[in-house]
Amino acid sequence: MLKDGPITIPALLRRFWRRIGLTWLLTLFETALTALIPLFIGFAIDGLLAQDTHALFQLVIVMAALIVVSVARRAYDTRVFGTVRVEVGKAQAARGREQPISMLNARLGMGRELVDFLENDLPMVMAALVQLVVSIIVLLAFDTMLAFAGAVAVVAMLLIYALFHRRFYRLNGHLNQQNERQISILEARKPRRLLSHLSHLRRIEVRLSDTESGLYGAIFIVLLGVVVFNLWYATTTLHITIGAIFSVVTYSWEFVDSAIALPVSLQGWSRLSEITKRINPAT
């Protein structure tokens, strides 16, 4: 059972740290194997061009291990975080006896979002960080300029997100507040009031979507610039094999893919910050 303290991400981690820690270890192992695959593909290409299949067999072993770990991790995740959701719901129901049903119902859904963050977003951040580090190391092994381009892109991406954080927090607050009223509005059975409620939700969601579009448009321009620059630099400046060029381009794209996970998670954290404050009003 959760204690009487606030229901927060740190509180859930303290209560379930053994189970969650194991899922995260499996996630990191899975990510490390995934990060190695493009490098082994590059080795396999060069090996096959030289009539050598040794690197190809190494690639098969890595991919087989990845399949086993990923299947086991997903099966375990479902059971662990399902238990956490039950405990969070029980704690919220016990503390919310005096709350209006509409508010309690909405906040039960918000509480599940905390667990969703632990199950989906935080592992995604860890996986992204591992992939970023591996990508930077591999690119650095080929040429310093390739890694430097990636590092500059990460800094630019975080600065861009900082410009949007307060707006995300404010809009998510409006959305959560409106959702808390939904059941009471439905109980009133007044079509005009319901239409006004649904229209209000739509306006907030459109504003959130427009904000996301602006954020990710700006970030994608920066990150795709890294791929184009690294492709140009590798083919015009470096004297490397075809397999190595493939690895450079692949790890540049992996860098982009993993870097995108960071603002996604930061956006989720902005929403969770508002939710945590809302479901723990006494803290």
Side-chain angles (χ1 to χ4, degrees):
M1 287 288 294
L2 290 170
K3 295 183 179 180
D4 294 331
I7 300 174
T8 62
I9 295 294
L12 295 179
L13 288 175
R14 286 193 298 269
R15 173 63 180 83
F16 301 100
W17 69 270
R18 288 186 180 87
R19 300 179 188 180
I20 294 175
L22 180 55
T23 68
W24 288 357
L25 284 176
L26 291 172
T27 297
L28 290 175
F29 189 31
E30 179 184 349
T31 303
L33 290 173
T34 302
L36 289 173
I37 285 179
L39 186 61
F40 277 87
I41 290 176
F43 292 156
I45 290 173
D46 288 338
L48 291 172
L49 289 175
Q51 306 300 315
D52 182 3
T53 60
H54 182 69
L56 179 63
F57 289 129
Q58 291 179 333
L59 173 63
V60 171
I61 292 172
V62 173
M63 294 181 70
L66 174 61
I67 292 171
V68 172
V69 173
S70 62
V71 169
R73 196 265 302 172
R74 283 164 176 76
Y76 184 63
D77 275 5
T78 302
R79 290 159 175 78
V80 169
F81 291 105
T83 299
V84 178
R85 288 186 182 90
V86 170
E87 294 300 324
V88 170
K90 286 166 58 179
Q92 285 186 276
R95 302 174 192 187
R97 293 189 182 96
E98 305 301 322
Q99 294 176 351
I101 294 299
S102 183
M103 179 183 294
L104 178 58
N105 177 72
R107 293 187 178 182
L108 283 173
M110 295 176 199
R112 291 177 67 87
E113 290 192 38
L114 297 180
V115 186
D116 291 343
F117 185 80
L118 289 174
E119 181 178 11
N120 302 316
D121 291 12
L122 276 185
M124 182 174 65
V125 171
M126 291 189 296
L129 289 175
V130 170
Q131 185 65 64
L132 278 175
V133 171
V134 171
S135 297
I136 291 294
I137 290 174
V138 172
L139 294 174
L140 184 62
F142 286 112
D143 192 271
T144 304
M145 185 59 68
L146 300 174
F148 179 73
V152 170
V154 170
V155 174
M157 176 191 66
L158 294 176
L159 290 175
I160 290 171
Y161 179 79
L163 300 175
F164 288 82
H165 170 73
R166 289 186 179 181
R167 181 171 176 82
F168 277 125
Y169 185 93
R170 184 174 65 255
L171 289 175
N172 278 304
H174 293 331
L175 184 64
N176 290 332
Q177 186 175 27
Q178 193 65 29
N179 280 327
E180 288 180 347
R181 302 169 181 164
Q182 182 160 290
I183 288 183
S184 60
I185 291 172
L186 291 172
E187 288 176 339
R189 298 184 182 277
K190 295 181 178 179
R192 288 186 179 179
R193 186 178 176 189
L194 176 60
L195 178 60
S196 175
H197 165 70
L198 296 176
S199 298
H200 193 178
L201 285 177
R202 177 185 176 278
R203 286 194 296 271
I204 298 173
E205 289 165 351
V206 167
R207 292 166 67 188
L208 271 170
S209 178
D210 289 347
T211 304
E212 290 175 358
S213 298
L215 170 64
Y216 292 111
I219 287 175
F220 265 118
I221 290 173
V222 172
L223 295 179
L224 292 180
V226 174
V227 176
V228 173
F229 173 81
N230 284 358
L231 175 59
W232 169 81
Y233 189 82
T235 55
T236 61
T237 305
L238 304 181
H239 301 288
I240 53 179
T241 65
I242 295 175
I245 291 176
F246 171 83
S247 293
V248 168
V249 175
T250 301
Y251 275 101
S252 296
W253 181 253
E254 290 289 340
F255 173 87
V256 169
D257 189 49
S258 56
I260 284 294
L262 298 182
V264 170
S265 299
L266 289 173
Q267 182 184 342
W269 185 256
S270 297
R271 175 166 173 76
L272 286 187
S273 299
E274 203 283 332
I275 286 176
T276 300
K277 183 177 179 180
R278 186 174 296 273
I279 67 176
N280 298 292
T283 61

